[in-house]
Amino acid sequence: MREDQTKPDNEAQVDDNNLEDIVAEADTGARNPEDAFSRRVLWYTPLVWAVYQLWIASPLPFILGFGVWNDTQTRAIHLGFAVFLAFVAFPGLRSSPRNRIPWITWVVALVGAATASYLAWDYAGVSIRTGVPSTRDLIMAGLGMVLLLEAARRSLGFPLMGVALFFLAYVFFGSWSGLPDVVQWKGASFQKAMSHLMLTTEGVYGVALGVSSGFVFLFVLFGALLNQAGAGNYFLQLAFSALGHLRGGPAKAAVIASAATGLISGSSIANVVTTGTFTIPLMKKVGFSPAKAGAVEVSSSINGVLTPPVMGAVAFLMTEYVGISYIEVVKTAIVPAAISYVALVYIVHLEALKMGMKGTSTMGNVQFLLGAIFTICISIVIAGGTLWLAGQIVTLADAVIGPMSTSVLVAGLLVAYVAAVRFAAQRDDLDTSLESMQHLPPASVILKTGLHYILPILLLMYLLMIERKSPGLSAFWSSCFMLVILLTQDALKAFFRGDGSKTAAFLHGLSEAAEGMIAGARNMVGLAAAMGVAGIIVGSVTLTGIGQVMAEFVEFLSGGNLLAMLFFVAVISIILGMGLPTTANYIVVSSLMAGVVVELGAQNGLIVPLVAVHMFCFYFGIMADVTPPVGLASFAAAAISGGDPLKTGFQAFFYSIRTALLPFLFIFNTDLLLIDVGPVKAIFVFIVALIAMLLFAAGTMGYFLTRSRIYESVLLVFCAFTLFRPDFFLNQIAPEFETRPATEMYTLAEAVPDNGTLRVRMVGESLEGDPIDARYLLPLGATGPDGVTRLMDSAGIEFREEEGKTIVDMVGFGGPAEQLMIDFDWEVVEIEVPAERPPQEIFYIPALLLVGLVALLQRRRKDKFDAEGAPA
């Protein structure tokens, strides 16, 4: 919907029904049938799906010995629910009826559910016939693939289906003589393709769908339940009350509120509509143009997907693809997400200054920044301290009361919940109208009305961070706690207030809990379909080897230059992002390009951790909902603001440049991902990176203390680069490593400290016969008796001396060396050890002096303008 541009901004009206349609078409399904049977099916089916997911995540199946399925069966049932709902909830065409479900759709939906779940109800037979499928297997597989692609098209649009069809065409027709020799392969028969893609865990029912059924559904359900309970509105009003009095306060509140709701929302589009309905009209009221108001909301909402713990489901996929723990993924993501959000708040602040906005607060530029950083740090300290204290109490309880500790702690959590609800009941419930946002009570008052919403989030963080439970189990218990809150909060408030019927309040809570479970399940339809189709793409890559072909093509285009390679990977991600959901985009790009970037980095002397490459692909994939002309989040924001969707998208992309900058930086400076960084250095890295990002924001916005001149903006961006990558300049004057002959390997390996690494350069041939000349980090674990033992025990590799050369003699099966794809008979050319040189941080001094010079120039100019009464 687009408002008449002749209307004043503050008169633009938002049609709530249209906004609901936007979210429905993108996330939950636009079908709204009028007949009772269809409505019941669309109500009960997602409810049963949610109950099923809670059941398989709970310990009950194993306790009761009933309803126990293996991973493959649970994935198939999960996909069956998604395919069925994709057909009945999403119309096939724009002309298809919204108010009824045609009979042919019912038939196709049932067939789709049956074929998608085929591996569940005939698992024993299919497993016996692995490699030699029966005719029925092939029919079910073929039908299942076609209907899965159609389900993805209905729920996500054509682009993902189109990419999958491209890969399928290569599977079946890759042997065509018209293709260049370099991309030809022998082709696959229908039987071979279906066996690989639909009847094993190599394709559709692979890792991605396993993550969807095991982790993602529960986190999306947790977010839906939390939002249904009223937490979204609570966080929104809290942000507005705290920041609304500042310059451009509604825009700053939009950033913070979107950060809070992004933690619990699985969709940037739903995030835009949920918070944007309130924030965008208020941003326009204080002076933001429709395009800028919408762009602020879009930039804030997509950043929510960057923020742990969920990260748009990518966090859980990364644990499987990279082979690191969930805690490690969260640790790598936290600093970039935090500085990106602070920078966006600062961008909004600079925009407000440029437009001459006023607020009731007299807080200056520096005061605002210090206040924002202080608030964030205090919040992190309080949250971390609370989790640490909870961990200490659990440890003490285990020591004192043993097996009873869990029951006592659960009782303590419930007591804290009842006390928080009693505290909230002393005040009226929050008003959810737009008008109320302009006359909010103090933030301290609002904070007290929803403290019980914070408890399930703290429980989730405690289970993940302190107890180190699996993400699925953590989300399960947190969702159960949310169900308790939904069922009881209204009844408890009625009891403490002494008014209203407790029974009616409980029944209302029961209805809200059911609606929350239904909302969570319907939000998963498109994501589950995307995971299944992504499995087709990944399976096609593993079946055909096209990944290596594409890698060689990109390597050819880049000329072997790592920076050019990263640029091409970014462009591919953005192009795919114009049509694919973020999660599917991440799966496709990382499966094709991650290994290539690591390999090319090694050839250029740069050891790039695999998690850094995966984060690179993720960050550019996240631009999917911003990038014109297909950015759905931009269209949703434009529908609210009455602005032009393309202008909104381009403005949001400009605001998000800081997000696009970060991936290039943490490839070359992995300290930003806190890789091998201790607590003290982590704080230092965060502070320096934050200053650098704020300087970058000031440089690109053309405003620091006052409007910047071009050379001042260039200097600020240059200083930001120096703070981000001080090693760049140090490497120009002093090499990072000095080389030692391969004959010193054992001596150097013996001298490496505990859990250190040995950096070696090797040459050889790959299995395909391609020449290899790359560098590798061999992990050495704890110090041992000699270098030979450390290399064998920790790195899983042995060498032999042959004609004065050091040759790889043995690579341990499954060991670190094999995982690095080191092969037999490769030669160690040289060992690289860190060179003695000045600390790279020395370059911070000239960078900060330049910042001081720019600040001094701008301060003098500003004082002069202020004295003359002219605009600065």
Side-chain angles (χ1 to χ4, degrees):
M1 183 188 76
R2 180 173 175 176
E3 294 293 334
D4 184 353
Q5 296 299 303
T6 61
K7 289 184 179 182
D9 287 343
N10 59 359
E11 293 181 11
Q13 300 296 316
V14 179
D15 187 332
D16 290 338
N17 291 330
N18 282 0
L19 294 179
E20 290 174 3
D21 288 345
I22 291 172
V23 177
E25 288 180 9
D27 288 333
T28 60
R31 192 99 68 182
N32 188 21
E34 296 174 352
D35 63 288
F37 175 77
S38 298
R39 295 181 73 87
R40 288 194 185 98
V41 169
L42 284 175
W43 197 87
Y44 283 108
T45 303
L47 181 61
V48 171
W49 189 12
V51 172
Y52 160 76
Q53 293 287 163
L54 288 172
W55 172 264
I56 63 174
S58 74
L60 288 177
F62 301 97
I63 294 173
L64 301 176
F66 168 76
V68 179
W69 293 281
N70 62 37
D71 285 345
T72 304
Q73 289 174 303
T74 57
R75 294 172 189 182
I77 296 171
H78 176 82
L79 187 62
F81 273 111
V83 170
F84 178 80
L85 285 171
F87 279 102
V88 297
F90 291 83
L93 302 169
R94 290 191 176 274
S95 58
S96 299
R98 264 61 171 169
N99 61 350
R100 64 183 177 85
I101 302 175
W103 69 268
I104 188 65
T105 300
W106 285 113
V107 173
V108 175
L110 290 170
V111 173
T115 55
S117 59
Y118 179 58
L119 288 188
W121 53 267
D122 193 21
Y123 176 78
V126 173
S127 60
I128 291 173
R129 298 187 295 271
T130 300
V132 284
S134 66
T135 302
R136 187 180 72 174
D137 292 340
L138 294 176
I139 291 173
M140 297 297 284
L143 274 175
M145 177 173 288
V146 171
L147 295 178
L148 171 60
L149 290 170
E150 171 59 13
R153 185 197 67 80
R154 285 173 176 246
S155 56
L156 299 167
F158 180 77
L160 180 58
M161 177 186 179
V163 173
L165 288 175
F166 169 80
F167 280 90
L168 284 174
Y170 184 69
V171 167
F172 291 113
F173 306 111
S175 59
W176 179 48
S177 59
L179 291 174
D181 292 341
V182 69
V183 298
Q184 280 188 31
W185 84 294
K186 62 181 180 180
S189 65
F190 181 77
Q191 175 179 323
K192 182 178 181 180
M194 290 303 102
S195 294
H196 187 82
L197 299 176
M198 293 296 294
L199 298 174
T200 68
T201 56
E202 296 296 321
V204 169
Y205 301 98
V207 170
L209 195 63
V211 169
S212 178
S213 64
F215 304 149
V216 179
F217 188 102
L218 294 168
F219 275 88
V220 172
L221 178 63
F222 173 71
L225 293 172
L226 196 55
N227 194 57
Q228 190 73 27
N233 185 61
Y234 170 70
F235 291 136
L236 178 64
Q237 295 206 20
L238 192 60
F240 262 86
S241 181
L243 301 174
H245 62 290
L246 302 175
R247 296 176 188 262
K252 292 169 183 171
V255 177
I256 302 303
S258 294
T261 55
L263 295 174
I264 61 176
S265 171
S267 167
S268 58
I269 300 166
N271 198 356
V272 166
V273 173
T274 300
T275 59
T277 304
F278 299 99
T279 60
I280 291 175
L282 293 176
M283 279 190 271
K284 291 169 63 180
K285 187 170 183 178
V286 298
F288 283 88
S289 67
K292 288 185 176 180
V296 169
E297 182 57 49
V298 171
S299 300
S300 307
S301 296
I302 66 160
N303 259 45
V305 186
L306 292 174
T307 310
V310 180
M311 297 166 60
V314 169
F316 314 115
L317 285 165
M318 219 174 275
T319 63
E320 301 293 330
Y321 288 149
V322 182
I324 61 177
S325 69
Y326 173 78
I327 300 299
E328 288 296 313
V329 173
V330 170
K331 189 178 80 170
T332 60
I334 192 68
V335 167
I339 64 175
S340 188
Y341 257 121
V342 174
L344 183 56
V345 174
Y346 186 52
I347 285 172
V348 168
H349 182 67
L350 294 178
E351 197 75 78
L353 289 173
K354 288 170 68 176
M355 291 189 282
M357 293 182 183
K358 302 294 182 183
T360 57
S361 171
T362 57
M363 188 180 295
N365 204 354
V366 177
Q367 289 175 298
F368 167 74
L369 274 178
L370 292 177
I373 296 170
F374 178 77
T375 302
I376 291 172
C377 292
I378 288 296
S379 301
I380 293 173
V381 169
I382 291 174
T386 303
L387 295 176
W388 177 83
L389 180 61
Q392 297 303 306
I393 294 173
V394 169
T395 302
L396 180 62
D398 284 339
V400 175
I401 57 179
M404 291 295 292
S405 62
T406 301
S407 301
V408 172
L409 291 169
V410 170
L413 181 63
L414 293 176
V415 168
Y417 161 63
V418 173
V421 174
R422 185 178 186 278
F423 198 52
Q426 297 173 6
R427 295 156 185 82
D428 292 336
D429 292 337
L430 296 177
D431 187 351
T432 58
S433 66
L434 178 59
E435 291 74 18
S436 69
M437 301 296 292
Q438 304 177 50
H439 307 285
L440 291 172
S444 58
V445 174
I446 296 177
L447 178 66
K448 297 171 184 176
T449 65
L451 289 173
H452 56 293
Y453 297 137
I454 300 175
L455 291 175
I457 298 175
L458 288 177
L459 174 63
L460 178 64
M461 294 294 98
Y462 170 77
L463 292 172
L464 287 170
M465 304 294 182
I466 306 298
E467 290 287 335
R468 300 296 177 98
K469 300 293 186 186
S470 70
L473 194 60
S474 302
F476 166 74
W477 289 117
S478 302
S479 298
C480 289
F481 187 24
M482 273 311 311
L483 286 172
V484 171
I485 291 176
L486 278 163
L487 288 170
T488 61
Q489 66 172 350
D490 290 343
L492 285 172
K493 285 181 180 179
F495 172 77
F496 289 127
R497 289 169 179 167
D499 61 353
S501 168
K502 284 74 175 176
T503 303
F506 177 78
L507 291 175
H508 178 261
L510 186 62
S511 172
E512 290 291 290
E515 291 295 338
M517 293 176 73
I518 291 167
R522 292 190 66 163
N523 284 335
M524 273 299 302
V525 174
L527 187 53
M531 295 291 202
V533 175
I536 295 176
I537 297 169
V538 174
S540 300
V541 171
T542 59
L543 179 63
T544 63
I546 191 176
Q548 186 61 37
V549 174
M550 292 189 67
E552 291 175 357
F553 178 66
V554 172
E555 186 175 347
F556 169 75
L557 289 178
S558 65
N561 182 277
L562 181 61
L563 194 59
M565 158 76 80
L566 292 172
F567 174 77
F568 282 117
V569 173
V571 170
I572 291 171
S573 299
I574 290 176
I575 291 174
L576 287 174
M578 290 183 181
L580 301 190
T582 301
T583 310
N585 187 359
Y586 160 73
I587 294 171
V588 174
V589 178
S590 63
S591 63
L592 289 173
M593 307 308 305
V596 189
V597 175
V598 172
E599 181 181 334
L600 190 58
Q603 293 175 11
N604 282 265
L606 181 68
I607 307 295
V608 185
L610 189 57
V611 67
V613 182
H614 279 256
M615 287 288 289
F616 183 94
C617 297
F618 170 46
Y619 262 65
F620 279 102
I622 208 169
M623 304 305 288
D625 290 333
V626 178
T627 313
V630 192
L632 294 179
S634 299
F635 276 84
I640 302 171
S641 69
D644 183 277
L646 291 181
K647 287 183 179 178
T648 302
F650 282 116
Q651 186 68 51
F653 187 81
F654 174 72
Y655 286 156
S656 300
I657 287 177
R658 76 205 184 289
T659 303
L661 170 72
L662 282 169
F664 286 98
L665 295 172
F666 55 57
I667 286 288
F668 294 96
N669 182 8
T670 56
D671 285 353
L672 291 173
L673 299 179
L674 302 185
I675 296 175
D676 298 327
V677 170
V680 175
K681 189 175 180 182
I683 295 172
F684 179 74
V685 167
F686 173 74
I687 293 172
V688 173
L690 180 59
I691 294 171
M693 184 55 76
L694 296 177
L695 291 175
F696 179 79
T700 53
M701 290 295 292
Y703 200 105
F704 188 35
L705 302 181
T706 184
R707 291 185 184 275
S708 300
R709 290 170 179 165
I710 293 178
Y711 69 87
E712 292 173 336
S713 293
V714 172
L715 284 176
L716 289 174
V717 172
F718 174 77
C719 293
F721 175 77
T722 304
L723 294 178
F724 273 126
R725 281 210 60 199
D727 62 312
F728 176 82
F729 299 100
L730 184 59
N731 291 342
Q732 309 306 310
I733 59 176
E736 185 176 2
F737 298 99
E738 60 183 40
T739 60
R740 298 285 183 85
T743 53
E744 296 183 19
M745 172 176 291
Y746 298 128
T747 304
L748 294 172
E750 185 176 348
V752 171
D754 276 353
N755 301 313
T757 56
L758 188 68
R759 183 183 172 101
V760 299
R761 179 181 162 217
M762 297 186 184
V763 297
E765 281 190 359
S766 67
L767 292 175
E768 293 78 21
D770 298 323
I772 299 292
D773 184 348
R775 291 158 178 83
Y776 300 90
L777 289 180
L778 301 179
L780 294 181
T783 54
D786 55 60
V788 176
T789 305
R790 292 188 75 183
L791 285 166
M792 184 60 227
D793 292 348
S794 300
I797 191 169
E798 289 184 355
F799 300 92
R800 69 177 186 272
E801 298 295 328
E802 188 176 289
E803 298 179 356
K805 298 178 181 179
T806 302
I807 307 295
V808 177
D809 191 46
M810 193 276 291
V811 177
F813 178 75
E818 186 188 56
Q819 293 175 13
L820 291 170
M821 294 187 291
I822 297 173
D823 208 349
F824 297 96
D825 294 331
W826 286 11
E827 179 188 354
V828 179
V829 178
E830 60 192 15
I831 316 294
E832 295 182 344
V833 297
E836 292 188 8
R837 58 180 191 167
Q840 62 183 24
E841 289 77 13
I842 197 172
F843 287 93
Y844 291 162
I845 298 174
L848 294 175
L849 288 175
L850 274 177
V851 173
L853 176 62
V854 173
L856 180 63
L857 292 173
Q858 293 205 357
R859 171 58 65 186
R860 288 180 176 177
R861 191 162 70 248
K862 187 174 187 299
D863 291 343
K864 179 181 178 182
F865 283 132
D866 290 344
E868 296 175 355

